[in-house]
């Protein structure tokens, strides 16, 4: 027998020992339905038990006849999953897909899948091969590690599996739930040639760790058995088969293990095993506080995006304000407010936000300021609320306080170009022109396609008598105004540039700018 037994601790120690060094080994994970049970998805054996009972209740005589024809007994029924599926949904195959989708729609990744997501992203052990249709692995990778895995959910995509895999890769040999998953006996009888080529590349580079997989489908097991010689001769890396508790080694699993230079390891469940594996490899797992903080930040981003609709009414440029104050735009604003109330649970905060913006527009700055402070106290990570307070302070002529408040907003959301532009305007009011120029440059760095930033920067350079840079900024703004087909903005810009050139004594340049502006 070419099969060696290992204790779980012995296996974990071996993985740790060979995971680093000049010639490290890589491991991939082969998962079956047993891995998903603790996540709320029934195993193949549980489904067989359910369907066995249902078929008996529907038509007992037909049920007995069917089992006799296929030689299905209580001892071998779990190896006939596909036949049970076909029989149960033979009249209406779409009911089968519907059944599986409902079965999996509320499943959440268990601790084993969460830990596996960190293994896949923090180590070179970055491949999972699974007979499952569910999305538990990719959900865990996406949510807990904020990483985009490569999901190969259909044999037509198998060519994307390469010998050098650099990102978490999930290979679903029975297809993804949404890609007509393989359930019938015909579908799972023979592994598609595309999968065979893909698995060949994996097994040549990764030691395979089978866990939660009972070996009840012919497709993968037949492929494995047909490659026993490759495993024995080290063409493929040695496999490790984790056997749950006191489960017996029998059938095709026994045949494979006896002829494949493999190891088998008794274990106490998918979750515990993967958890212990991450622990021994010193995988870094985020704290509860950081996970909660990330979730709060995502919620805050949604709230901030919704607030933006209301802010537009207050914070647009003067020309845009006039346009928005038309009856048509006022109706649009009310429509937005109604929509916001329907899609968010932060009704109280939104009402306060709208009240504060309205008070600011009407000149009731102190009252607005008090409401804004209440919002900041309740939502201290909302950059929008700090910006609103900065607007209130600016209207109250408390410019230094307004600048400090804007800096706090930028600290929370450093990639918002509008915040830097507003800060630049505050610096202009306090005649801190160098700081204003720096703020506009930062806004342009984040959003280089905003024509008004270049126009405002040109005015600043002109105010500081840096005329060469002012003219350069005017020309950049002109190109963007032309690109955006903003004739009114372009005309005003050309006149401003003409005024500057005239003051500098460039009569021809000034005339050219005025002439360009005239038709607009």
């Amino acid at each position: 027998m070419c099969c060696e037994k290992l204790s779980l601790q012995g296996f974990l120690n071996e993985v740790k020992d060979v995971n680093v060094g000049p010639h490290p080994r890589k491991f991939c994970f082969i998962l079956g339905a047993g891995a998903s049970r603790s996540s709320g998805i029934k195993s193949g054996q549980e489904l067989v038990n359910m369907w066995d009972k249902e078929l008996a209740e529907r038509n007992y005589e037909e049920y007995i006849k069917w089992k006799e024809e296929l030689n299905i007994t209580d001892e071998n029924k779990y190896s006939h999953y596909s036949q049970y599926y076909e029989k149960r949904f033979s009249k209406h195959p779409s009911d089968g897909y519907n059944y599986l989708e409902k079965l999996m729609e509320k499943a959440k990744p268990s601790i084993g899948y969460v830990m596996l997501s960190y293994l896949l992203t923090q180590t070179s052990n970055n491949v999972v091969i699974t007979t499952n249709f569910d999305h538990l692995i990719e959900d865990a990778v996406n949510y807990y590690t904020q990483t985009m895995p490569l999901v190969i959910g259909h044999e037509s995509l198998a060519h994307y599996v390469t010998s050098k895999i650099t990102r978490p890769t999930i290979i679903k040999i029975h297809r993804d739930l949404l890609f007509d998953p393989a359930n019938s006996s015909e579908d799972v009888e023979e592994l598609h040639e595309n999968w065979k080529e893909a698995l060949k590349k994996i097994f040549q580079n990764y030691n395979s760790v089978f866990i939660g997989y009972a070996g009840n489908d012919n497709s993968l097991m037949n492929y494995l058995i047909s490659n026993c010689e490759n495993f024995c001769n080290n063409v493929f890396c040695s496999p490790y088969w984790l056997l749950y508790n006191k489960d017996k080694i029998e059938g095709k699993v026994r045949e494979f293990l006896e002829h494949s230079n493999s190891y088998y390891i008794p274990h106490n469940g998918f979750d515990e095993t993967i958890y212990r594996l991450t622990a021994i490899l010193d995988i870094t797992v985020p704290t509860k506080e950081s996970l909660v903080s990330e979730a709060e930040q995502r919620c805050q981003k949604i709230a901030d995006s919704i607030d933006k609709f209301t802010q537009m009414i207050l914070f647009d440029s003067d020309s845009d304000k006039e346009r928005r104050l038309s009856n048509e735009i006022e109706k649009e604003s009310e429509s937005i407010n109604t929509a916001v109330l329907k899609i968010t649970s932060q009704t109280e905060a939104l009402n306060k936000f709208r009240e504060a913006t309205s008070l600011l527009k009407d000149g009731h700055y102190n009252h607005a300021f008090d409401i804004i402070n209440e919002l900041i106290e309740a939502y201290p990570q909302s950059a929008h609320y700090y910006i609103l307070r900065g607007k209130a302070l600016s209207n109250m002529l408390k410019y230094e306080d307004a600048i400090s408040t804007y800096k706090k907003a930028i600290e929370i959301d450093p990639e918002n170009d509008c915040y830097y532009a507003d800060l630049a305007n505050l610096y202009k009011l306090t005649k801190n022109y160098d700081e204003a120029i720096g703020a506009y440059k930062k806004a342009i760095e984040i959003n280089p396609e905003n024509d008004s930033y270049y126009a405002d920067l040109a005015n600043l350079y002109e105010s500081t008598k840096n005329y060469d840079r002012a003219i350069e900024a005017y020309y950049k703004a002109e190109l963007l105004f032309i690109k955006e087909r903003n004739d009114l903005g372009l005309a005003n810009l050309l006149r401003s540039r003409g005024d500057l050139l005239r003051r500098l004594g460039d009569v021809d340049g000034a005339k050219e700018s005025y002439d360009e502006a005239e038709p607009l």
Side-chain angles (χ1 to χ4, degrees):
M1 180 175 179
C2 205
C3 179
E4 180 181 342
K5 180 180 179 180
L6 279 179
S7 68
L8 180 59
Q9 189 60 51
F11 166 68
L12 297 175
N13 291 339
E14 181 175 328
V15 173
K16 181 179 181 179
D17 289 343
V18 303
N19 195 60
V20 294
H23 304 289
R25 278 199 277 140
K26 295 187 293 185
F27 295 81
C28 67
F29 303 89
I30 291 83
L31 306 186
S36 300
R37 290 185 64 191
S38 57
S39 298
I41 296 178
K42 296 185 184 301
S43 69
Q45 293 182 351
E46 289 174 310
L47 291 174
V48 165
N49 287 336
M50 290 172 56
W51 294 335
D52 186 80
K53 181 180 177 182
E54 290 173 3
L55 290 171
E57 290 174 347
R58 286 163 70 97
N59 187 327
Y60 187 74
E61 291 181 359
E62 174 64 24
Y63 159 77
I64 293 296
K65 180 181 177 182
W66 169 73
K67 289 184 70 173
E68 289 176 348
E69 288 177 353
L70 295 180
N71 195 28
I72 297 175
T73 65
D74 287 344
E75 289 73 27
N76 68 13
K77 64 180 180 181
Y78 299 129
S79 64
H80 289 81
Y81 168 91
S82 297
Q83 287 82 0
Y84 271 95
Y85 177 87
E86 286 179 321
K87 182 66 175 175
R88 175 63 180 83
F89 302 108
S90 59
K91 296 291 186 183
H92 305 284
S94 61
D95 287 352
Y97 304 139
N98 186 52
Y99 183 94
L100 292 173
E101 288 201 36
K102 288 193 297 182
L103 184 72
M104 299 176 187
E105 64 184 358
K106 294 183 180 180
K108 302 297 180 185
S110 66
I111 185 64
Y113 279 108
V114 175
M115 294 299 108
L116 180 60
S117 72
Y118 295 121
L119 273 172
L120 295 173
T121 53
Q122 294 186 29
T123 74
S124 59
N125 312 305
N126 53 3
V127 174
V128 172
I129 300 164
T130 179
T131 57
N132 300 336
F133 321 128
D134 60 59
H135 300 144
L136 292 171
I137 310 170
E138 53 264 49
D139 284 352
V141 173
N142 280 319
Y143 187 83
Y144 290 98
T145 73
Q146 304 295 299
T147 303
M148 182 72 71
L150 174 62
V151 181
I152 312 295
H154 194 279
E155 61 271 13
S156 63
L157 304 173
H159 62 281
Y160 287 105
V161 177
T162 65
S163 298
K164 294 183 179 180
I165 295 175
T166 57
R167 68 166 53 246
T169 298
I170 304 160
I171 301 170
K172 299 186 176 186
I173 59 173
H174 286 174
R175 299 180 184 167
D176 184 86
L177 177 63
L178 305 180
F179 288 166
D180 190 16
N183 274 296
S184 70
S185 54
E186 181 181 353
D187 289 338
V188 299
E189 183 63 30
E190 181 70 20
L191 199 64
H192 195 282
E193 289 299 322
N194 292 359
W195 289 133
K196 291 179 182 180
E197 287 299 313
L199 295 189
K200 177 181 177 181
K201 296 173 185 175
I202 300 299
F203 291 148
Q204 285 175 338
N205 293 282
Y206 292 79
N207 289 101
S208 48
V209 178
F210 295 80
I211 182 166
Y213 174 62
N216 286 326
D217 70 286
N218 288 330
S219 59
L220 179 56
M221 288 310 306
N222 287 343
Y223 172 79
L224 293 172
I225 291 169
S226 69
N227 280 282
C228 281
E229 187 175 344
N230 284 328
F231 284 107
C232 273
N233 295 333
N234 295 321
V235 176
F236 289 175
C237 303
S238 299
Y240 296 75
W241 196 289
L242 280 84
L243 195 69
Y244 181 64
N245 280 334
K246 302 296 183 181
D247 282 358
K248 297 178 181 179
I249 303 175
E250 53 190 6
K252 291 188 174 182
V253 173
R254 171 177 285 277
E255 183 180 354
F256 171 63
L257 293 181
E258 288 180 345
H259 300 92
S260 59
N261 192 29
S262 59
Y263 301 87
Y264 76 94
I265 303 110
H267 73 106
N268 293 319
F270 172 74
D271 287 350
E272 178 186 323
T273 301
I274 298 298
Y275 184 85
R276 290 178 63 180
L277 185 57
T278 56
I280 205 166
L281 291 178
D282 298 323
I283 299 297
T284 303
V285 178
T287 63
K288 175 183 176 182
E289 290 75 15
S290 65
L291 288 173
V292 170
S293 176
E294 287 178 5
E296 288 176 344
Q297 289 175 20
R298 286 194 290 271
C299 290
Q300 191 60 58
K301 280 189 175 182
I302 295 172
D304 289 348
S305 297
I306 293 170
D307 288 347
K308 186 176 181 181
F309 292 125
T310 306
Q311 278 187 280
M312 282 162 45
I313 301 170
L314 179 67
F315 301 152
D316 279 347
S317 64
D318 291 338
S319 60
D320 284 341
K321 275 185 185 178
E322 292 177 6
R323 178 179 59 81
R324 289 188 173 276
L325 288 175
S326 68
N327 289 334
E328 182 179 349
I329 300 303
E330 286 291 346
K331 290 178 183 178
E332 178 185 327
S333 174
E334 287 302 315
S335 176
I336 290 172
N337 289 340
T338 301
V340 164
L341 290 176
K342 283 184 178 181
I343 65 173
T344 181
S345 60
Q346 292 185 302
T347 304
E348 182 180 356
L350 287 166
N351 284 336
K352 283 187 176 182
F353 183 84
R354 285 205 308 275
E355 182 182 2
T357 57
S358 179
L359 288 168
L360 284 180
K361 287 176 67 178
D362 294 339
H364 303 299
Y365 305 133
N366 290 323
H367 190 184
F369 189 76
D370 291 339
I371 295 174
I372 296 165
N373 284 337
E374 290 178 15
L375 288 170
I376 289 175
E377 185 176 353
Y379 302 96
Q381 291 304 309
S382 172
H384 284 304
Y385 296 153
Y386 283 99
I387 290 298
L388 198 62
R389 183 162 74 178
K391 291 288 181 181
L393 289 167
S394 177
N395 287 329
M396 297 160 72
L397 307 182
K398 298 180 179 180
Y399 297 128
E400 293 301 329
D401 289 340
I403 288 171
S404 297
T405 303
Y406 265 94
K407 286 181 177 179
K408 177 62 179 177
I410 289 171
E411 182 182 321
I412 296 170
D413 184 5
E415 297 303 317
N416 191 311
D417 56 292
C418 297
Y419 295 170
Y420 287 100
D422 285 348
L423 179 62
N425 288 327
L426 281 173
Y427 280 132
K428 281 198 296 184
L429 290 172
T430 58
K431 301 189 185 304
N432 292 315
Y433 297 121
D434 288 341
E435 287 86 351
I437 289 171
Y440 266 125
K441 284 182 175 180
K442 185 61 180 178
I444 289 170
E445 179 184 324
I446 296 170
N447 183 7
E449 297 298 309
N450 190 307
D451 44 32
S452 65
Y453 294 165
Y454 284 103
D456 290 340
L457 185 60
N459 288 331
L460 270 173
Y461 279 133
E462 190 173 343
S463 298
T464 56
K465 302 187 185 321
N466 195 336
Y467 300 124
D468 289 342
R469 291 198 172 181
I471 293 171
E472 179 184 350
Y474 273 128
Y475 276 110
K476 287 182 178 178
E478 178 185 0
L479 293 175
L480 288 172
F481 276 121
I482 292 172
K483 181 179 178 180
E484 296 297 324
R485 299 183 180 179
N486 185 344
D487 290 346
L488 179 60
L490 179 59
N492 291 332
L493 179 82
L494 290 169
R495 293 189 188 100
S496 295
R497 190 178 72 193
D499 292 341
L500 172 60
L501 292 172
R502 179 174 53 79
R503 288 197 300 274
L504 294 175
D506 187 351
V507 178
D508 293 337
K511 183 177 184 305
E512 182 179 344
S513 290
Y514 291 142
D515 289 344
E516 287 182 42
E518 193 60 33
L520 300 171

